[in-house]
Every structure is written in structure tokens, then in C-alpha cells.
Amino acid sequence: MALLLKGGRLVDPAAGLDTVADVVIRDGVIVEIGEDLTIPKGVTIECAEKVVLPGLVDLHVHLREPGREDEETVSSGKRAAAHGGFAGICPMPNTEPVADEGSAITALMDLADDGFPVQVFPVGAMTVKQAGELMAEIGDMHHAGAVAFSDDGRCVQDSGVMRRVMDYAKMFPVTLMSHCQDDALAGRGVVNEGVVSTRLGLPGYPAAAEEIMIARDIALCELTGCRVHVQHVSTARGVELIRVAKAAGLPVTCEVTPHHLFLDEDMLDLTYDTNRKMNPPLRTAADREALLDGLVDGTVDAIATDHAPHAAHEKQLEFELAPFGTTGLETALSLVNTHLVACGRVTWSQVAQWMCHGPRSCVPLIPEQRIEVGRPGTLTIVDPEARVEVTREWFVGTSRNSAFLGAKLLGKATEVLVDGEWALKGGKVVER
Amino acid sequence: MTAMLSSRHLMTMDDVTADDIALILDTAESFAEVNERRIKKLPTLRGRTVINLFLEPSTRTRMSFEIAAKRLSADGVNFTASSSATVKGESLRDTAATLAAMSCDLVIVRHKYAGAPQIIAEMMDCSVVNGGDGVHEHPTQALLDLYTMRQNLGHLEGLTVGIVGDIAHSRVAGSLVPALRKVGATPIIIAPPTLLPARPDILGAEVAYDFDQVLPRLDVAYMLRIQMERFDEAGFPSLREYARLYGMNMKRLSAAKPELVIMHPGPMNRGVEISSDVADHARSLVLGQVESGVAVRMAVMYLLLGGADSGAAA
């Protein structure tokens, strides 16, 4: 079965590409790249005016299976990923029960084996039940397919435990991902401590609560030599700490989320919109700028969504009671185009770096992907002129708790191919 | 009187203008006279239903609203945390929808969490009064405080009001500071840094750590209650030290302007934020505040429920 992608703008910095050309995919593999290509039989997709990127990967998503299938399942999350242009996703282990042993990773892989071609790269828990006390069976989970380990949603408070986990994990080619949060300092905080906590009478979560743990994990990285990936950095000093660590040659990487890039605490008002309650909280406008600077200078390796689906009735509680998180898989790419590419601040080549190559370099167990002959036919095709209005009905995922409801965005993934198989075609998730 | 307020709700001090405040205080003055009569009742809100939705225990505020509603002949219904479905796990939204289905005209909401009045207003097609939401705001308290100040000092503009104590966890301060600014008074918030919100500068109040330094400038010393029940996370080492640095006592009273008045939203911790002799002193307006509360809440209900169309005031 052959596939011809005709006349798209191929953008891939790793392959040194930014050119209009045709791509032929046969048996799931890229077999030819060039001008005026033809195939004797098979399917031709017109890609004129579209941007063809190597398949995007999201390092940070929450699928709620097992436990909260009403919010998201592995299958629904994969379809939401495709709708947003992602060819691969890394689900966090904070399910019910927590994915803290090999059998849980095996079960997740079985659920992911549903015939729908989005790749799932599981993340296991660092500690048993994510309780921050006993090391989880990292080796077992790694052998079952886990590519990284995180207690995401929680942070190992005991530095001795964290040090032991890092010391142990470094014998495997895995990545430790850290949700950096000093619990005593974050307290009951639900919004950034500062203007918004003062104005809305809500408990504040100071930037320092995040930065202290970033600094600790960098120190432990130096002590143990274990690779560490800082999840959802949200503050200017957090980025600066990582910049300095990288300059010192430490194996530290990090990600930022679209909501921390494109929203800030000033967007919280007396409507107490719980879709804008996230952890870490929305920070200041200056922090936002620092995150973007971090992306541009290479301090920040990846854009990851922290896709956090929640049931409507739980998000509709009082702000202090509602769960943290916004969905993100379906809006990320459109947001990046709207706020960064379309206005000329960044290039598609940078987007490919932050949403494809960067994530893969943070987690070496996720295979590299390039638009190159001999590589898998795993691609994301974007229509940069497509108009998107973010309404509840527009989403494919099970939950609709988006911080961007009501936004009018520019640009949308129209096709996602994984090993030559369609996950998204003509803007629609392929039914299987 | 055909005057109306600019908003149909009183959820935060943002809902009222300086003109609204003047109207509420003037209206309250005419109602205060009713409260002196032997028959303390007006037919003004006859047939209107007022729900006291008190999801956090509060006897004093609830009683004040309840009496205010009764004196205006409204049908008042209490919905309190202990009697409610909330203990069975019903959400605030569902509670509000249930109340909306019974059609009422006004809901007074008191809740442990900030933003609760906004949820009620979203779900119900009636006026909403915030009776205190978390540590955010408590607008009728601020209005009754302004009323008390005006009654006793003759004016509001130009007054310097020191608000002393746990500003960070005080919904009273949350409303009183903007209220004072709207009427042209000068609020000074006086507290140790541990009892201040993260960004006191944005409140538009002067900030002082040293009570004694600013005391001579004050026309009003407004003493906030120290919440003994959350002492484990208190921002000071002992009640003794707090009383010494921030308590109002006879020594401080004598160092202040001779016309200084003392206020407190109650209930008082005698010997902590206010000494017993000051609490009972002629310059303490504490009971006057409670008395004003009824008249001011009558005025708020009357004005929110359409003022003149429900009959003349006094």
C-alpha cells in the first residue's frame, strides 16, 4: 500500500529540511522524498499550503484509565491526541490504582493496543502508590515498557528517597520526570501567590514552592548523575535554574505547557473559572515571557500539555475544591501556531524541535523520528490557515475542561500518520 | 424614593459605587428608626422570599439577616449546613438549582470558599448577597461599619481607619478596605507581615507593622478577631506577644486622638486583640455595629428587591 503526500512544505530541522516536496510512504516507511513524484497505485493526498512535520509527541498526558474512565480512557485519549496532531503520548501513572508495578504497565500497553495508530509510551510511578516513601519496581516496569518514571501530581518530599530513586534509576536508560513542588510551602495554594491570591481571597501557591524543588532535583542530578526531566516549569527562576544547570553540563531537561505559555494569573477574575485552576498555577506575565525565552534559547526542551481531563461536575465545584488541570492535547498545536508562528515570533522548524525532537531527546526510549528515507511514516500535517473555534462540542476527548474554551485559534492538524497508518485524515479522527 | 442600586447583586464591593453606598446608608438611616419602634415591622417586602443559605456556621450574621428580612415582612427561610443536603455530598450548584426551582427573590450566601456567591448567581435568577465567602469579602459588614462610622463621627470622607490584625484571612478587611476607599477615607492595614496577604500593595491601603507608630493618626481603630481555632498556623509566636504588639488596651487608647473610636466585627477575644476595659469603654462602638447591621441589611434587601416598587420605606 503506497501513499503520496503531494506538495507539502516539509519542515524538519533534524533532517535539515524546510522545502516544498513530495513524500512517498510504502508499507509504513518513508521510501522517497523529492519533486514531482508519482506512484503507480495507492492514495495521493494533496498537501499544498500545508506544513508536514515529523510526528509530534506529548511527554505529559493524563489518561484516566484505570479508575476514572468517565473522564478519559486510553482509547479516547489517543483519539484526542490525534485530533490535536500528536502521533505519540506519555501517560502519567497517577491512575486509580497508581501504575507502580510491571503488571500495571502491561495492562496499559494492552489497553493501548486498540488498533488505533497513536503510540503510547507509558510512564511508571517512582514510588509505591506515589506515596514518596518506598521505591517502586522501576526495573520491572521498564521491562514491561515504561520509558520514564514520575510521581507526577505529587512530588517526593523526602530528599533521601528521591536520591535513592535517582541513584537506582540511572542503571536503566529511562528518564526520571519530576513534578517539582515543596508541599509545606505550596500548602493549600490554588493560585499563584501574589496579586491574584490577594485579589480573589484564594490561598496562594508561591513560585518558590516550585523553584526550591527544581533546585533540589538539580543538586541531586549532580550528586547521582541521573538524568532528570523537570515537568511543567512555570516560573522565570525555574527556567533560570535549569539554564545554569545545563550550562554546567548536567543531564537536566524540562518542558513547559501551552497554558503557562499563553495564559497568566491576570486572566483569573471574579468569575472564578475553575478550568484555569492548574498545578502549578498560572503565573505572572513576566514568567510567561521567561518561558518563551527559555524555549527560544534552548533551555526548555519541549512543549508538553499536561492534558488533565476532569469530569464537569467536579470542575464545577467551588474554586478551592475543584481539581487542578486543563485538557491540552487538542488545543496545543493550534495555540502554538496562533500565538507564536502566525505572528512571526517563531518558525515551524522551532515548533518541530519543541514538539517532536525535543520531547524525544528528553526521553531517549522514545524512538527518534525524522522526515527521511528509511524512517517510519510517522508525520503530522498542519493546515496553518484553518480556523478553529474552541467549543465544548469541538473536542474529541471525553472531558471538556479546557482553559481555552471560547478561544478562536488559527491552524489545525489535518493529518496524523503513524507508521503509514491514518490516525487523523482531513481533520477528522479516523474511525476504527 | 425610586432609587436603585447599580447592580442586582451585592457579591463584592466592586458591585457598588460611591453613590450606591450613600443610598444604602441613607436608606438604612430611615430603617434604623423603625428598629426603635415598639412594632418593628414594615410591609415593604411582603410576599418576597429571602433565603439565608448559610453553609458555614454563623449565628450572628445569619440572625442579623433573618431579623432584617422579618422586619420588612419578607418570608425568610434558613438553609444551614447542618440541615442541608451538603452533608450528603450535594454540590453547591445543585443546591442552588434546587433553591431556584422553588423561586425566591433573594439569596444571602455564606460559605467557607471564595467565589461561592458567583456560583449561586450563575445558577439562580434572583439577587445574591454575599454574607461572607471564605477569606475573600463580606460586603454587608463593610457597609454596616461605614454606617456606624458615619453615625458616630458625622462623616466618612477624610477619616483615617486603622484595620488591625489578620488581614490575610479576613473577609471583613477584604470588603472594608475597598469600601473605605470608595467613600474617600484612608485605610491603613496594620499587622505583622505573616498576617498580611501576599500583595498588600495592590489593595490601595497603607501598610504598617508598627501599630503604635500610626495610632496617633487614626480616627477609627478597627480590631480584627484573632482566629484562635487556627492557632496552629498562626503568624505570631504567642497570644501574649500578639496582644502586646497589636492589642487595643487603655494605654494605647490614651496615646490616640481623644475622638478615636474602637470597632470590632465580633465575636471578640477579650484580652487578645481588645482588652476588656476597652471593649466596654464609651468609645467602643462594638454593639452599635451590631445594631447598625440590622438596618443596613434591611436597606440592602429593600434596594436590591426593587426599592419603591415594593412600597415606601419608613
Side-chain angles (χ1 to χ4, degrees), chain A residues 19-53:
Chain A
T19 180
V20 174
D22 303 342
V23 178
V24 177
I25 297 169
R26 187 169 286 118
D27 300 325
V29 177
I30 298 173
V31 292
E32 206 176 352
I33 297 172
E35 284 175 30
D36 300 322
L37 300 182
T38 54
I39 47 173
K41 57 177 185 173
V43 180
T44 299
I45 301 289
E46 190 50 63
C47 294
E49 310 301 321
K50 290 191 180 177
V51 176
V52 180
L53 303 170

Side-chain angles (χ1 to χ4, degrees), chain A residues 198 270 272 316 318 320-321, chain B residues 93 111 113-114 118 136 199:
Chain A
T198 302
L270 285 169
Y272 291 90
Q316 285 173 353
E318 293 84 327
E320 285 161 76
L321 299 180
Chain B
R93 241 165 242 273
H111 197 25
Y113 300 106
Q118 282 76 7
H136 183 222
R199 288 289 300 274

Side-chain angles (χ1 to χ4, degrees), chain A residues 82-423:
Chain A
H83 193 226
F86 290 100
I89 49 177
C90 295
M92 291 298 134
N94 61 337
T95 46
E96 299 168 27
V98 170
D100 61 358
E101 53 185 28
S103 62
I105 302 297
T106 305
L108 174 64
M109 297 296 259
D110 286 347
L111 289 169
D113 186 19
D114 63 351
F116 187 79
V118 160
Q119 295 174 306
V120 173
F121 305 106
V123 178
M126 284 188 218
T127 65
V128 174
K129 294 184 166 44
Q130 294 189 316
E133 291 163 5
L134 295 170
M135 199 176 353
E137 290 179 349
I138 288 171
D140 231 26
M141 285 189 273
H142 166 52
H143 291 303
V147 297
F149 295 88
S150 173
D151 275 4
D152 182 57
R154 306 177 72 172
C155 173
V156 176
Q157 297 299 296
D158 185 320
S159 301
V161 173
M162 188 65 176
R163 184 251 165 102
R164 201 148 53 237
V165 170
M166 290 175 77
D167 255 339
Y168 185 76
K170 74 183 178 206
M171 69 173 151
F172 304 108
V174 300
T175 304
L176 288 190
M177 298 178 157
S178 184
H179 166 125
C180 294
Q181 169 178 330
D182 182 316
D183 289 350
L185 206 47
R188 291 170 293 122
V190 292
V191 293
N192 187 38
E193 181 172 310
V195 173
V196 70
S197 64
T198 302
R199 191 167 284 148
L200 297 183
L202 292 170
Y205 176 140
E210 183 178 343
E211 293 154 357
I212 282 174
M213 280 301 184
I214 293 176
R216 179 198 73 172
D217 288 346
I218 289 170
L220 292 178
C221 169
E222 187 166 14
L223 178 66
T224 62
C226 180
R227 161 189 291 278
V228 68
H229 174 77
V230 179
Q231 299 181 286
H232 45 49
V233 183
S234 72
T235 78
R237 184 177 292 116
V239 172
E240 183 55 27
L241 287 164
I242 294 159
R243 183 176 287 125
V244 171
K246 284 188 158 188
L250 295 175
V252 177
T253 58
C254 71
E255 69 192 28
V256 296
T257 71
H259 47 272
H260 290 117
L261 279 172
F262 306 126
L263 298 174
D264 59 57
E265 63 166 3
D266 297 338
M267 297 165 186
L268 289 166
D269 57 21
L270 285 169
T271 59
Y272 291 90
D273 182 0
T274 57
N275 285 334
R276 293 188 171 179
K277 174 180 174 179
M278 42 277 279
N279 181 353
L282 298 177
R283 304 290 188 187
T284 66
D287 289 314
R288 264 173 81 177
E289 277 305 311
L291 300 184
L292 184 57
D293 291 345
L295 272 170
V296 170
D297 75 12
T299 302
V300 177
D301 301 271
I303 294 174
T305 68
D306 195 2
H307 177 76
H310 286 293
H313 68 274
E314 291 181 2
K315 268 294 189 184
Q316 285 173 353
L317 294 173
E318 293 84 327
F319 197 94
E320 285 161 76
L321 299 180
F324 290 103
T326 171
T327 58
L329 276 169
E330 296 175 70
T331 45
L333 183 60
S334 299
L335 285 163
V336 167
N337 183 53
T338 306
H339 295 292
L340 299 180
V341 185
C343 56
R345 289 190 78 170
V346 313
T347 63
W348 279 111
S349 191
Q350 286 171 295
V351 175
Q353 180 58 36
W354 302 330
M355 300 181 79
C356 172
H357 302 303
R360 292 170 199 269
S361 65
C362 295
V363 182
L365 283 175
I366 303 176
E368 266 188 76
Q369 175 58 28
R370 291 182 190 174
I371 307 180
E372 239 172 36
V373 171
R375 297 273 183 181
T378 298
L379 301 167
T380 297
I381 304 176
V382 190
D383 176 358
E385 299 299 326
R387 306 262 163 185
V388 172
E389 190 174 345
V390 184
T391 61
R392 277 172 213 286
E393 297 69 36
W394 175 79
F395 287 98
V396 165
T398 306
S399 295
R400 279 88 211 273
N401 56 298
S402 169
F404 297 98
L405 277 173
K408 291 188 169 67
L409 303 178
L410 187 64
K412 167 84 181 68
T414 53
E415 275 79 27
V416 172
L417 279 161
V418 180
D419 293 326
E421 299 279 322
W422 296 107

Side-chain angles (χ1 to χ4, degrees), chain B residues 13 48-49 51 105 144 163 181 187 210 249 259 294 302:
Chain B
M13 289 310 297
R48 314 299 292 273
T49 305
I51 295 181
D105 300 290
L144 74 88
I163 306 170
R181 282 168 48 82
D210 187 340
N249 51 36
E259 60 274 22
V294 174
Y302 169 78

Side-chain angles (χ1 to χ4, degrees), chain B residues 15-231:
Chain B
D15 288 331
V16 287
T17 62
D19 286 346
D20 289 330
I21 293 174
L23 176 62
I24 293 167
L25 301 193
D26 291 344
T27 308
E29 214 160 342
S30 63
F31 285 132
E33 182 265 323
V34 175
N35 293 333
E36 315 259 302
R37 296 183 196 167
R38 196 171 65 84
I39 308 291
K40 302 175 181 58
K41 205 165 178 98
L42 294 171
T44 316
L45 296 184
R46 197 161 51 201
R48 314 299 292 273
T49 305
V50 175
I51 295 181
N52 278 320
L53 177 57
F54 274 59
L55 300 173
E56 182 187 58
S58 153
T59 312
R60 306 160 59 97
T61 305
R62 199 195 72 217
M63 275 186 66
S64 180
F65 275 110
E66 211 177 323
I67 291 171
K70 286 189 195 305
R71 291 204 176 149
L72 293 172
S73 306
D75 296 316
V77 184
N78 285 326
F79 185 115
T80 57
S82 54
S83 68
S84 78
T86 55
V87 292
K88 298 173 194 159
E90 185 177 68
S91 72
L92 183 59
R93 241 165 242 273
D94 282 342
T95 300
T98 303
L99 296 180
M102 297 185 215
S103 2
C104 54
D105 300 290
L106 178 69
V107 172
I108 321 293
V109 57
R110 153 80 64 124
H111 197 25
K112 196 177 160 189
Y113 300 106
Q118 282 76 7
I119 293 179
I120 304 289
E122 217 176 286
M123 298 298 293
M124 297 182 71
D125 185 30
C126 68
S127 291
V128 176
V129 171
N130 182 0
D133 63 328
V135 300
H136 183 222
E137 285 221 28
H138 190 1
T140 60
Q141 176 74 44
L143 290 167
L144 74 88
D145 291 333
L146 293 184
Y147 181 88
T148 309
M149 289 177 208
R150 196 176 79 165
Q151 292 302 104
N152 285 276
L153 300 167
H155 63 103
L156 293 171
E157 202 175 334
L159 290 181
T160 300
V161 180
I163 306 170
V164 189
D166 190 353
I167 311 290
H169 300 105
S170 173
R171 50 188 166 215
V172 175
S175 289
L176 187 54
V177 170
L180 288 166
R181 282 168 48 82
K182 278 176 201 268
V183 299
T186 304
I188 306 180
I189 51 184
I190 302 158
T194 44
L195 297 184
L196 286 172
R199 288 289 300 274
D201 56 303
I202 65 159
L203 298 175
E206 196 182 315
V207 178
Y209 301 148
D210 187 340
F211 189 13
D212 294 308
Q213 200 179 359
V214 293
L215 180 62
R217 290 166 52 200
L218 304 183
D219 300 299
V220 179
Y222 195 103
M223 312 309 295
L224 295 172
R225 197 173 91 83
I226 284 299
Q227 298 183 42
M228 313 281 263
E229 59 272 21
R230 53 197 303 172
F231 188 71

